[in-house]
């Protein structure tokens, strides 16, 4: 049982730190540190479903590296695998690739 408590402790600590980290990323949108801290805590708490929004938030303010762009692009590409994807999905995907390319230049 002690093992369960020890394993839950980092998750609990991440959950407690998450609101402040998200607020810091919002209040200091030009801070890579704030964005990456928030994304790290989202991963640590198992809230991976919130990562795309956090990554997108970073790309709205700062040039992002491949550790941000690749998961975003992969997620958008997965949307094109639908039986009949909407044209908007392809337009969004092209815009994302162009923005990612600008971040690399």
């Amino acid at each position: 049982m002690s093992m369960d408590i020890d394993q839950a402790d980092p998750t609990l600590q991440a959950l407690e730190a998450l609101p402040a980290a998200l607020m810091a990323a919002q209040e200091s949108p030009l801070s890579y540190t704030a964005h990456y801290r928030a994304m790290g805590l989202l991963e640590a708490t198992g809230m991976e479903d919130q990562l795309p929004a956090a990554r997108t938030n970073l790309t709205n303010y700062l040039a992002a590296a491949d550790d941000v762009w690749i998961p975003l692009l992969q997620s958008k590409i997965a949307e094109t695998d639908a039986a009949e994807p909407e044209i908007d999905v392809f337009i969004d995907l092209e815009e994302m690739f162009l923005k990612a390319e600008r971040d690399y230049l």
Side-chain angles (χ1 to χ4, degrees), residues 10-100:
T11 302
L12 181 59
Q13 289 175 352
L15 279 170
E16 290 174 349
L18 184 58
L22 292 172
M23 184 64 72
Q26 192 173 35
E27 290 175 351
S28 301
L30 301 179
S31 169
Y32 279 106
T33 303
H35 287 283
Y36 274 94
R37 176 154 171 73
M39 289 186 294
L41 290 170
L42 286 168
E43 286 179 337
T45 59
M47 299 175 71
E48 286 88 4
D49 61 320
Q50 299 299 313
L51 279 170
R55 289 181 178 121
T56 299
N57 190 38
L58 184 148
T59 66
N60 288 336
Y61 296 101
L62 300 163
D66 60 351
D67 63 326
V68 173
W69 276 116
I70 290 174
L72 282 174
L73 291 167
Q74 287 174 333
S75 174
K76 186 57 80 171
I77 289 169
E79 290 180 34
T80 66
D81 292 339
E84 294 183 31
E86 298 289 324
I87 189 70
D88 293 343
V89 173
F90 292 103
I91 292 169
D92 291 346
L93 183 60
E94 179 184 26
E95 289 173 358
M96 286 177 74
F97 269 105
L98 292 171
K99 190 172 182 181

